[in-house]
Structures are given as C-alpha cells and as structure tokens.
Amino acid sequence: MMNGKLWYYFMALRPWSFQAAIPSVTLGSLLSWKYHEMWDNSKFFLSLAVTLSLQGAANLLNTYFDYVKGYDTEESYGDPTLVRGFLSIVEVWMLAIIMYFCACLSLYFLEIVTRLDLMTLGKLFWIGVILTYMYNGGIKGFALKYFALGDLAIYVSFGPMMAVFGYLTQCGNYSWLPVWYSIPVGLRVEAILHANNHRDLESDKRNGAITVANLLGGTLSTLFMFLLLFFPYVFCLLQAYFISAWYLITVLSIPSAWHSFFIFRKENRRDIPAVIAKQHSFFSLLYLLAVYKQRSI
C-alpha cells in the first residue's frame, strides 16, 4: 500500500516535465564555462536541485488549483491525481510544501558553495517562488494562467530566468548573454504549453479561462505553434553565421519538428504536449552540443 502511495507522490510531481527546466540551467552553466572558463559540478547540480524543486512545487499547485477551480474533471486531459482520488488535497499541499523546503535547502547550500550572498542569489529564486504561485493560484481570482499571461510567465521562467540562474551560480555575475542564448530554448518550452492550451481550447472556453490559444483561435493558434517550432532554427542559422557553424547541427531535428507540427494539427490528440516535449528535448540536446562545441571566447 505504501509503495503504491509513494508512486502516486512521484507521479504527482510530473517528473517527465523536468525536461523543460534542465536544458536552460545547463545552457547558463555552459555559457559560464565558454566565456569565463568557470564550471563547478556541485554548483551545477545544486542549481538543478533548486529549479527542479520549484518546478515540482509548481506542478503540485497547478494540480490543486485546477481541481478546486473545476478545470480538471474525469473527462478532461488534466492531472488525474486529485480527480481520481490518488492523493488527497492535504497530501498534495504537504508535498508542495516539502518541495518548497527542498528548494530553500538547496539554495542555502548553493549560497555556501558559490559564496554569493542570499540577496544576489535569492532575487531570481523569490521571483520563481512568486511565479509558481501566481501562475494559477493567484490573488483574488487573478491567476496568470487564466488571463493570457501564463505563456509569457512560462517563457520567462523556463528560458531567460533559468539560464541566467545557471550562469550566475557558476560565475557569480548577472549578464544578458544567457538571455539571448536562451531564446530558442524558451520558445520550445512555450510550445509545450501552447500545445496543451490548444488541445484544451473548448474546455478552457467553457470554464472562462483566457489563454493565448483561445485568444488566437484555431487557425492563428496553429500558425503560432509553427512560429514557436521553427523560428528557433532561424535563430540558430544566425548563430551559425556569427558564432559557430556547429549551430547548423540543430537542423537535424527539423524532420521531428515537422512530424510534431503535423500531429499538432490533428484534433483530439491527448498526447500532443508529450510529442512537443520530446521534440524540445531533441532540439535542446543538439543546441547544447553546439554551445559546447563553439570555440571559447
């Protein structure tokens, strides 16, 4: 019985979604190594521990608020953790608190190994904490997810913020460098969210949720997904011209991007976000390889 419960706790964290955070933190750390020759494994893994703990907490809060607000039902595509009674509301909240505690503890150890003061290191951390709650918890009914701001929050969080955090923990400085490099990775994470919102167009409209997908409507939403999937290749071509030819390696993922886009265009595909997420992982792996192979500056 306990083993079954532990499995439900594990699944409630949605560990498969962690693939959205890992590339951005890794990117920031790689840039520190390439531009400043600074890389420390303990800093890298602690920065991952901080970000993945926050993401786990955000996933749990998302499950809770979608359930209590009535967005997740047995007929919907949402997380079944609460809908099907795998865990109770109290258990979901307790697990979220544990994940926040793990994030704070990891930040404490990160402060020790980086020798950065908590004011410098904690700015991005507390912005992340606020965003995890405001995404769909909100204040007095205002939640970013349901007022067409969730897409921007996800892009900023999983793109520039995590890349800057990874960079900061390695070299101790803020920089615009990881912000620019994170553009294609952030757009790909946004593509995962948009795939989810596009799939849920009708249910979100019924529940009064405002997302970029239902603001655009079916046709423009599809065009937006095309841009999210393929603009990163334009960005990589520019990097190949100005920085290193290694960025051309990302074109190897174009066939899988086309495949993902054609699947996206089909209706009633429950697995659309998972398909886009896999393509994101493939693209990100090639992109990180290009960063790794570019000459040090």
Side-chain angles (χ1 to χ4, degrees):
M1 188 67 172
M2 180 55 69
N3 288 337
K5 214 49 160 172
L6 289 175
W7 175 250
Y8 291 141
Y9 287 141
F10 178 72
M11 295 303 290
L13 292 172
R14 305 184 205 174
W16 55 86
S17 69
F18 292 166
Q19 63 185 309
I22 293 173
S24 295
V25 177
T26 305
L27 172 64
S29 300
L30 273 177
L31 290 173
S32 172
W33 177 50
K34 282 294 179 179
Y35 282 83
H36 305 288
E37 297 184 348
M38 299 179 71
W39 174 285
D40 183 276
N41 287 332
S42 60
K43 294 177 183 179
F44 174 66
F45 287 111
L46 281 170
S47 61
L48 277 180
V50 171
T51 53
L52 295 183
S53 295
L54 283 180
Q55 188 180 354
N59 289 343
L60 292 160
L61 291 182
N62 186 71
T63 294
Y64 168 76
F65 284 112
D66 277 356
Y67 176 72
V68 298
K69 292 178 180 180
Y71 292 108
D72 282 351
T73 65
E74 291 194 9
E75 291 74 34
S76 70
Y77 295 123
D79 189 338
T81 299
L82 291 174
V83 172
R84 298 185 183 179
F86 296 149
L87 297 176
S88 68
I89 287 177
V90 173
E91 289 173 319
V92 168
W93 262 107
M94 288 302 296
L95 188 54
I97 291 171
I98 290 172
M99 295 308 297
Y100 277 127
F101 174 77
C102 289
C104 291
L105 188 63
S106 299
L107 184 71
Y108 171 73
F109 286 116
L110 190 58
E111 184 265 342
I112 293 175
V113 299
T114 60
R115 297 181 181 179
L116 294 172
D117 61 88
L118 285 176
M119 181 62 70
T120 300
L121 198 57
K123 290 177 183 176
L124 290 176
F125 175 80
W126 289 111
I127 292 173
V129 170
I130 293 170
L131 286 176
T132 60
Y133 182 80
M134 288 299 298
Y135 180 68
N136 67 342
I139 298 175
K140 295 183 178 180
F142 178 82
L144 298 174
K145 179 178 178 179
Y146 300 117
F147 285 88
L149 294 172
D151 296 73
L152 178 62
I154 291 298
Y155 170 77
V156 170
S157 298
F158 287 89
M161 272 185 60
M162 288 189 180
V164 170
F165 188 70
Y167 181 88
L168 172 67
T169 56
Q170 292 291 339
C171 66
N173 298 309
Y174 284 99
S175 171
W176 284 102
L177 189 68
V179 174
W180 297 117
Y181 272 87
S182 70
I183 288 174
V185 177
L187 290 176
R188 284 309 179 88
V189 177
E190 161 58 15
I192 300 172
L193 175 67
H194 186 66
N196 181 81
N197 291 341
H198 182 87
R199 180 195 62 188
D200 297 339
L201 271 173
E202 295 305 319
S203 61
D204 282 344
K205 285 180 181 178
R206 287 195 302 270
N207 290 312
I210 304 172
T211 64
V212 169
N214 59 37
L215 280 178
L216 293 175
T219 301
L220 289 179
S221 178
T222 300
L223 176 60
F224 185 52
M225 174 57 79
F226 181 86
L227 293 175
L228 291 174
L229 284 176
F230 293 100
F231 178 76
Y233 295 110
V234 176
F235 192 88
C236 288
L237 288 176
L238 292 173
Q239 288 177 296
Y241 181 79
F242 289 105
I243 301 175
S244 168
W246 271 101
Y247 287 93
L248 293 174
I249 198 174
T250 58
V251 303
L252 294 176
S253 66
I254 287 180
S256 68
W258 274 112
H259 176 71
S260 300
F261 181 67
F262 286 132
I263 291 178
F264 174 83
R265 294 180 63 189
K266 296 180 180 179
E267 297 181 359
N268 302 320
R269 285 296 299 263
R270 186 186 187 100
D271 62 341
I272 287 175
V275 170
I276 302 297
K278 289 178 182 178
Q279 210 284 323
H280 161 69
S281 295
F282 184 31
F283 171 84
S284 296
L285 182 63
L286 295 174
Y287 187 70
L288 290 173
L289 177 61
V291 176
Y292 174 77
K293 287 292 188 179
Q294 76 173 52
R295 74 180 171 83
S296 298
I297 297 175

